[in-house]
Amino acid sequence: MMRVTTRRLFLVSSLTVVVILAMHLGQQMLECQQILGEEHSRQNRVMRPENEELIMLDNNNVEYRYSKEMPLIFVGGVPRSGTTLMRAMLDAHPDIRCGEETRIIPRLLAMRQAWSKSGREKMRLDEAGVTDQVLDSAMQAFILEVIAKHGEPAKYLCNKDPFTLKSSLYLSRLFPNSKFLLMIRDGRASVHSMITRKVTIAGFDLSSYRDCLTKWSKAIESMYSQCLEMGQMKCLPVYYEQLILHPKPSMQAIMNFLDISWDDAVLHHEELIGKPGGVSLSKIERSTDQVIKPVNIEALAKWVGFIPADVVKDMAQIAPMLARLGYDPNANPPVYGNPDPVVVNNTNRIMKGDFKAPSNLKGHFQVNQNTSFSHW
């Protein structure tokens, strides 16, 4: 009897120990799963924000929802290439809002690019948990917030900061449904404009046509190459000269590319300046005094005769992108084409003074103050 009782007690004790061990191991496994789950969530929470949409109301309480999946429009190019005119013509469309340059978006993109290029800085950021995922999520949120909230809400949003298109491939990853308009202008005209109008661009020596043309060629090469890499469904090169000479067919091609319905208002942007839902212009921007006029050819070949002879002689070597983009580097002046009748009429009106500048512009005209652009 004692042997049976002792055996039972031994079995019960053994089972008790086994149960306790099993419970302990089970608890340890649950804790490990919880820790792993929290780590997985921490690593992926940047990709799953609680609220991916910005919601805005217009003056009529119409609701607009914006997200990284929306078809943002980015307009850019080398400064003095017609980017302001392009965005003003788009702004005239009742469903599109571009607004003035934000100025901070290209600076932020330059910083992001610098962090990526520096191996030491990237290693420090990664060790701190500031990974590419974290940075890209923050960039998405910041850029969308600035574009959406620096102007009136609209069905389609557009950003015009010239040098943003130096980061167009990166932007196309952040905003996969975005589209890009790359403004292209004869580099001789762009450089002459930035020099005579004293538009300061970091890295450009405004006392030297040779230096500015060299820098123009490098800048447009970077943007043009990225545009080609994105493909014709994502990026459309827009030649300033053709936009000026033939505004209607040019804008029709642009609206088809953007997949936005046609509206004749895009051909009459000057009539909508300062009006609600129209074109918002600032007197501080150096292009404003030109964009307030209807489309004309007044500035098309102003550069001819002003570029130093030694620079003209070496033009093909100084600015190889001229020939690549279809401009004749040895033609002074080149043949851009014949303007449509409506453009001829607009130009004659302006030359005769038969044009009244709008009074409802933002700010005050800045005389003798340079406009500066970040360049990297």
Side-chain angles (χ1 to χ4, degrees):
M1 189 71 177
M2 285 293 292
R3 288 181 180 177
V4 174
T5 302
T6 301
R7 187 177 296 172
R8 286 179 178 175
L9 286 172
F10 178 75
L11 289 171
V12 169
S13 299
S14 299
L15 287 171
T16 301
V17 171
V18 170
V19 170
I20 291 173
L21 284 172
M23 291 176 63
H24 180 71
L25 289 172
Q27 184 177 357
Q28 290 293 317
M29 289 179 66
L30 288 172
E31 289 177 356
C32 286
Q33 288 177 349
Q34 183 178 359
I35 291 170
L36 289 172
E38 289 176 353
E39 178 66 16
H40 179 76
S41 176
R42 184 187 71 79
Q43 291 177 354
N44 290 277
R45 72 175 63 137
V46 67
M47 303 306 291
R48 296 182 178 85
E50 293 181 6
N51 183 7
E52 292 185 342
E53 289 189 331
L54 285 175
I55 301 175
M56 295 182 65
L57 298 176
D58 66 10
N59 293 331
N60 297 316
N61 287 323
V62 175
E63 184 179 275
Y64 294 86
R65 292 176 176 268
Y66 304 128
S67 75
K68 65 182 182 182
E69 304 299 331
M70 67 179 295
L72 287 171
I73 304 165
F74 289 97
V75 177
V78 179
R80 310 306 303 166
S81 294
T83 56
T84 303
L85 175 63
M86 181 75 265
R87 81 88 171 165
M89 296 175 80
L90 291 174
D91 257 331
H93 193 289
D95 290 335
I96 303 174
R97 192 268 291 158
C98 296
E100 293 87 345
E101 294 174 13
T102 70
R103 298 182 63 79
I104 58 175
I105 289 178
R107 287 170 169 80
L108 183 66
L109 290 168
M111 290 173 64
R112 177 69 179 94
Q113 189 177 78
W115 295 333
S116 297
K117 285 184 176 180
S118 172
R120 178 177 293 183
E121 187 66 21
K122 188 177 187 313
M123 181 179 67
R124 289 174 175 173
L125 290 171
D126 286 341
E127 289 178 353
V130 187
T131 63
D132 285 343
Q133 280 187 331
V134 173
L135 284 172
D136 290 349
S137 180
M139 293 285 287
Q140 278 175 340
F142 183 87
I143 292 172
L144 182 61
E145 185 100 3
V146 171
I147 292 175
K149 293 187 176 181
H150 87 110
E152 298 177 2
K155 184 177 179 180
Y156 299 99
L157 294 183
C158 154
N159 167 254
K160 191 279 282 192
D161 282 297
F163 278 131
T164 53
L165 263 68
K166 291 199 75 176
S167 297
S168 54
L169 285 172
Y170 176 67
L171 284 169
S172 70
R173 292 196 296 270
L174 293 185
F175 304 101
N177 295 315
S178 57
K179 291 195 174 184
F180 299 81
L181 298 175
L182 173 60
M183 295 303 299
I184 295 174
R185 185 183 184 184
D186 189 324
R188 295 163 291 191
S190 295
V191 165
H192 177 70
S193 180
M194 64 179 70
I195 288 176
T196 56
R197 296 174 71 87
K198 300 178 181 176
V199 179
T200 304
I201 304 172
F204 282 57
D205 179 2
L206 295 184
S207 67
S208 169
Y209 274 90
R210 183 178 293 270
D211 178 79
C212 287
L213 280 161
T214 301
K215 301 290 176 53
W216 169 86
S217 191
K218 290 179 180 178
I220 194 63
E221 181 181 18
S222 172
M223 289 185 260
Y224 187 64
S225 296
Q226 291 185 61
C227 186
L228 293 180
E229 186 172 342
M230 281 190 288
Q232 59 184 5
M233 299 300 292
K234 291 279 292 180
C235 184
L236 179 68
V238 178
Y239 281 78
Y240 169 80
E241 293 83 8
Q242 299 311 307
L243 178 65
I244 293 295
L245 295 170
H246 315 293
K248 186 169 184 176
S250 296
M251 287 305 295
Q252 286 175 332
I254 289 167
M255 300 310 293
N256 287 336
F257 166 74
L258 297 175
D259 197 23
I260 298 175
S261 61
W262 175 258
D263 195 294
D264 279 338
V266 299
L267 302 177
H268 308 285
H269 71 278
E270 74 282 359
E271 298 175 3
L272 296 168
I273 293 173
K275 295 183 180 179
V279 182
S280 176
L281 287 176
S282 169
K283 293 178 182 178
I284 297 174
E285 288 191 34
R286 296 302 292 267
S287 299
T288 294
D289 63 327
Q290 294 173 308
V291 175
I292 57 177
K293 303 172 185 177
V295 176
N296 65 86
I297 58 172
E298 189 180 20
L300 201 59
K302 273 189 173 181
W303 59 271
V304 177
F306 287 92
I307 300 177
D310 63 307
V311 177
V312 171
K313 180 182 177 181
D314 299 337
M315 189 63 69
Q317 291 74 42
I318 294 170
M321 282 301 292
L322 282 172
R324 185 178 173 190
L325 294 172
Y327 297 102
D328 184 350
N330 300 310
N332 293 279
V335 178
Y336 295 127
N338 297 316
D340 291 342
V342 65
V343 178
V344 174
N345 183 57
N346 289 343
T347 306
N348 290 336
R349 283 175 50 210
I350 292 168
M351 298 298 287
K352 293 176 181 177
D354 183 19
F355 169 74
K356 184 178 180 182
S359 58
N360 45 356
L361 297 175
K362 293 181 179 178
H364 305 280
F365 277 117
Q366 299 289 315
V367 181
N368 297 326
Q369 180 170 329
N370 293 352
T371 297
S372 63
F373 290 90
S374 293
H375 174 59
W376 68 93

